[in-house]
Amino acid sequence: MPQLDGLPALRSLMQDAAQEDTRSLYDPDRLRFALTVPAGGADAAALRARLAALLGSDRFALEPLFDAPEPDEPVTFTFAPFGLDRTLPEDALFGIAAELRGELGLVACDPDLGATAYVEPVPETPAGTEGVVMDAICWEKGTPPEPKTWALEKTRVIQAWAMSPGKGKGIIVAQPDTGVADHAEFADTTFDFGKSLNLIEGGRQPTDPLAASMSNPGHGTGTGSVLASGEGGRMKGAAPKATLVPIRAINDVKIFNAAPVAKAIDHAVSVGAHVISMSLGGIPSFALRQAIRRAVRQNVILVAAAGNCVGLVVWPAAYPEMIAVGGTNIRDKRWKGSSHGPAVDFAAPAEFVWRADRQKPDAPKDGIAGGQGTSFATALTAGIAALWLGHHGRTKVIAEANARGVSVQALFRTAVQQTARRPAGFPSGLGAGVINAEALLSLALPSIAAAAPESAFEDPSGGIEPALTRMFGPGRLDPDFDWDAHGPEVAALVLADARAGRSPRGAGREVRAFRQASAGLTEAAAASRDPRLAQLALRGRPPAPSILIPAPVDADRLAGVLRSLGAAATPGITPEAAASVDPKDGQARLDAPGRREVLKPLTRRLEKGRQTVDLDRLDAGLARLHAEGTSARLDETTLIELEALVSLTDRPALPVTWRTTLEGRQVQSIDTDDPELGQFAALLVLARPDLEAGPLQAVGRIDGDGIHLGTGFVVGPGLVMTNRHVLEEFAAPLPRADNPRRWQMVRAATIDFSPSGNDPAQRFAIEEVAFAGPRQIHRLPISFDKLDMAILRVQPVNAAGMALPKPFRVNADPAWRGTDANLFVVGFPAPPASVPRDERGALRHDVIERLRELYGLNYRRKYFSPGLVQAARAQTAGAMVFDHDATTLGGNSGSVVGQLGGDLPAVGLHFAGDWLRANHAHDLALVRAATAGVAALLP
């Protein structure tokens, strides 16, 4: 499978294009580009002919993005090949876009990425594949405040109703979102479904399907209720008499595509919307900004969420023309997940805002709950905008704006900022203060301060340059850099780095997200006079597991630590017995002798010169636990260190090294005299000859374009097993992400079996995909009913003349766990390049340094770690999973899980793990019994 990029890649994809595609053009999974031709350029027929000639196929959809292009304005078309999903990596998509732009003479060509810059926080962190960023750090624990109108009271909406009994009547508010579901809170809401649109399934009806595959089913129902829930329900919307026009433009808040959002904005304007509320966000695009500017010229108010869980303000809120809304709580402090910065105009409640709650088709239709996110701050603001327009009369508002030579958008922004409530100690980065509906409505139109004209919002970067400053420090905007061509990709990289924990100071300076820049951006950045661009683009893409620090430091968490440390403090008690230790007994065992026992692993590491950890500091923390038990007030760093100590006990990660045998042969081996092996020491002394005979050699590091992506192991002649999510980093499934017909290599992929993972003599080219789990894994949380497995064909003899190592025997006995629960993992852990965060979402550079001292790992090389089977997961269709406790980090994806007994068969394929939690592996015996494609390949 040759590696392809740019237009050759697109032409290859088009070979798989269907004769027709019955899906909506804006289906979230479709491969899609927005093509913008210069004003007066080609019409649709002429552009179609040029595309067909360029691609050698006419099997694609092409239609104008906007219903009525304006004269003397570039015209944007939506282009989507038939039957193809978006499965190429982002840099490949931008490479295709760059070549289309050049060949067709386009103003801009932007791919829809399905960007994951905007997320709604969740109360519980889902398990994730290594490299997946956790979003529960944004969730504030607690219960929603009473009364249920508290958010309306904080924004003085109830007082505004008394001034304006119309409560938004006659004002049309469009809401691009996931759609709406039937709910009691909408019993007396005024909808105009005749103006609605469904861009996902097609047609007009914007019904939210509440599908389990959506990360936020019911999102549009929740935001719609905050905006316009009637007065007869259990809660109230900000504008209960406004007319709500839902537009189903996204299927998932977490997956943002710019083209359907731009289409939704244009549709809202065409049906006469007065306000557009956008509780969503992602990266910019030419078409998105074009749609916003068109709407502003039509006297529409547009408000957008600043963003959640990423820090930086996302688009469209980041556009200077937009009104960006940040989030606060009942104490007028910043909600911990709110994006913040100069782009935020003002704030509104975003923490435990009461909203309609219906997330499943069979869920009750009258549920309400406290939601978190700038989504709800935005919906509140949109409702208040409707109150403002209704109170003054939209005709008078437009006349006032026209007389001043500004837009209604600018007039509303200025009025809100002028009247915002700014309590003492109001946090920086959230604009003028908290929106105050009563003061806003009380302000006469002529008394509104001078509003900035539209020319003041000109920014060639579209809000990207301020984000660069936030992430990389001060710089100078390069006037020659082509933002139309490269801005969306720059924004995508900046946002990805922000989510990984990058910052301009401290340890965050070295953080890089798991992203690679396209060749076009790399070249443009290298030529730019702004060094921040080069710093952003000229880098590799190391895997970066995101570390979530468990929180809070409460009695339950301390009780668990006391159980484990109590077991570790008592000679003869195995770590597995920790669950039976009473926390009070664990507390009692942490006397001076017990603490010495707990600290033995670190003492041994110090003696070996492996690290310079402060034992006195840890001993002081243990002493405090001994004295105070579950009421101890430990700082998070100390507690994390103690939890790491627990996981370190009898679970070392031993480097695989070369050893010379008595016969003079060089074999890969481990140090079985390591004092940290504990209960595994004797077993590994016996097993070492067999480990050296093959299993240690048969595990290799998988690289794409020379960059570490994961681990794989030999399972048959010319066959290597790894995870499908590793495969997805260097190959694309075609034509669809699920059940593809074939795989297209998009990066040069290799597997290196040396201990260093960097020896050309032991490097083999990966040639093609022999098998892959049928369902897409990339960018999604772990789902235990998916088979995260791939089997690759590898050259049997490499360029150095070395034959592929002897394969593992892949276990076929499903009863293996009943005979021997000891196991081992061999893989290539990657450095924790994401900066950890605490339960408030704050970056913790200190913790990552302390963990490095505790573990002392030299990353990206081969490690062996013993452990035990924990629990078997439910055996659901397609995926059979068990948990294990061997030490793993990101980069271990695709590692072999071997049975530490018999002939050391491969019993599992490691595919995921959570920091200081369980690790997850597919049970290979169960998989091969249930999956014909796997069974046919394995000996």
Side-chain angles (χ1 to χ4, degrees), residues 813-831:
D813 179 10
W816 70 275
R817 286 194 302 270
T819 58
D820 192 345
N822 295 303
L823 53 78
F824 63 89
V825 172
V826 184
F828 289 78

Side-chain angles (χ1 to χ4, degrees), residues 583-937:
K584 291 184 178 179
D585 290 340
Q587 177 183 350
R589 294 173 187 175
L590 293 179
D591 54 11
R595 295 199 297 275
R596 285 195 295 272
E597 191 70 26
V598 170
L599 293 172
K600 270 186 180 179
L602 287 183
T603 304
R604 292 164 182 159
R605 285 179 169 251
L606 283 168
E607 291 170 351
K608 286 191 159 193
R610 291 189 181 181
Q611 54 224 141
T612 57
V613 70
D614 187 345
L615 288 179
D616 290 338
R617 200 169 97 87
L618 284 176
D619 185 65
L622 292 170
R624 193 158 193 175
L625 279 177
H626 176 57
E628 302 174 20
T630 55
S631 63
R633 297 179 63 85
L634 298 179
D635 64 90
E636 290 164 4
T637 302
T638 298
L639 188 53
I640 279 292
E641 290 171 354
L642 295 177
E643 287 172 321
L645 261 180
V646 171
S647 67
L648 184 67
T649 303
D650 292 346
R651 299 295 184 274
L654 304 179
V656 177
T657 59
W658 291 109
R659 183 179 78 85
T660 303
T661 67
L662 294 175
E663 296 80 17
R665 293 186 300 110
Q666 288 284 305
V667 296
Q668 295 187 30
S669 186
I670 57 172
D671 179 8
T672 54
D673 293 327
D674 192 300
E676 296 166 18
L677 284 172
Q679 63 174 317
F680 294 102
L683 193 57
L684 286 176
V685 169
L686 296 175
R688 190 171 78 166
D690 292 331
L691 286 168
E692 293 175 343
L696 293 178
Q697 171 68 36
V699 181
R701 192 181 84 183
I702 293 178
D703 290 358
D705 289 346
I707 296 167
H708 180 197
L709 300 177
T711 299
F713 57 99
V714 184
V715 293
L719 296 175
V720 164
M721 182 179 288
T722 188
N723 296 139
R724 173 167 165 161
H725 80 259
V726 173
L727 168 65
E728 288 172 357
E729 293 296 335
F730 61 83
L734 297 174
R736 305 290 293 272
D738 290 346
N739 299 301
R741 286 201 301 269
R742 68 183 181 94
W743 287 80
Q744 175 66 57
M745 299 286 280
V746 295
R747 307 193 195 287
T750 60
I751 182 167
D752 187 317
F753 294 97
S754 67
S756 67
N758 191 28
D759 182 354
Q762 297 202 49
R763 189 174 300 150
F764 292 72
I766 296 172
E767 296 179 331
E768 62 180 8
V769 180
F771 170 85
R775 297 173 62 191
Q776 185 182 36
I777 309 294
H778 184 54
R779 287 191 305 205
L780 298 176
I782 281 181
S783 175
F784 290 111
D785 63 352
K786 293 183 179 181
L787 182 57
D788 193 0
M789 175 186 288
I791 300 177
L792 313 173
R793 294 196 189 279
V794 178
Q795 58 182 159
V797 179
N798 68 7
M802 175 182 170
L804 199 65
K806 174 185 174 182
F808 276 89
R809 180 180 70 80
V810 177
N811 179 50
D813 179 10
W816 70 275
R817 286 194 302 270
T819 58
D820 192 345
N822 295 303
L823 53 78
F824 63 89
V825 172
V826 184
F828 289 78
S834 288
V835 177
R837 301 172 184 260
D838 64 17
E839 81 280 3
R840 295 179 300 277
L843 299 178
R844 296 299 305 274
H845 306 292
D846 56 332
V847 174
I848 199 168
E849 296 300 324
R850 301 295 291 157
L851 292 175
R852 184 177 293 124
E853 290 178 356
L854 283 172
Y855 280 93
L857 288 175
N858 178 17
Y859 300 106
R860 304 195 191 288
R861 62 163 348 275
K862 192 179 299 188
Y863 280 90
F864 173 96
S865 182
L868 296 172
V869 174
Q870 290 180 307
R873 293 271 170 177
Q875 297 178 19
T876 52
M880 286 60 68
V881 178
F882 66 89
D883 294 348
H884 66 89
D885 65 1
T887 299
T888 64
L889 289 174
N892 277 107
S893 294
S895 293
V896 64
V897 182
Q899 184 179 16
L900 200 50
D903 61 350
L904 310 177
V907 294
L909 169 66
H910 175 82
F911 65 93
D914 295 330
W915 183 250
L916 299 179
R917 298 189 185 184
N919 298 305
H920 315 296
H922 289 304
D923 188 316
L924 296 181
L926 299 179
V927 171
R928 69 185 295 168
T931 312
V934 174
L937 289 169

Side-chain angles (χ1 to χ4, degrees), residues 190-215:
T190 301
F191 287 99
D192 190 342
F193 289 116
K195 291 181 168 64
S196 290
L197 188 66
N198 186 331
L199 290 168
I200 306 302
E201 289 85 15
R204 291 279 181 180
Q205 192 61 32
T207 302
D208 187 330
L210 306 178
S213 59
M214 300 165 65
S215 66

Side-chain angles (χ1 to χ4, degrees), residues 4 47 61 81 143 175 177 236 361 434 551 578 593 616 631 687 706 713 852 879 898-899:
L4 295 177
L47 182 59
T143 57
Q175 185 190 26
D177 211 303
K236 294 176 174 61
V434 179
D616 290 338
S631 63
F713 57 99
R852 184 177 293 124
Q899 184 179 16

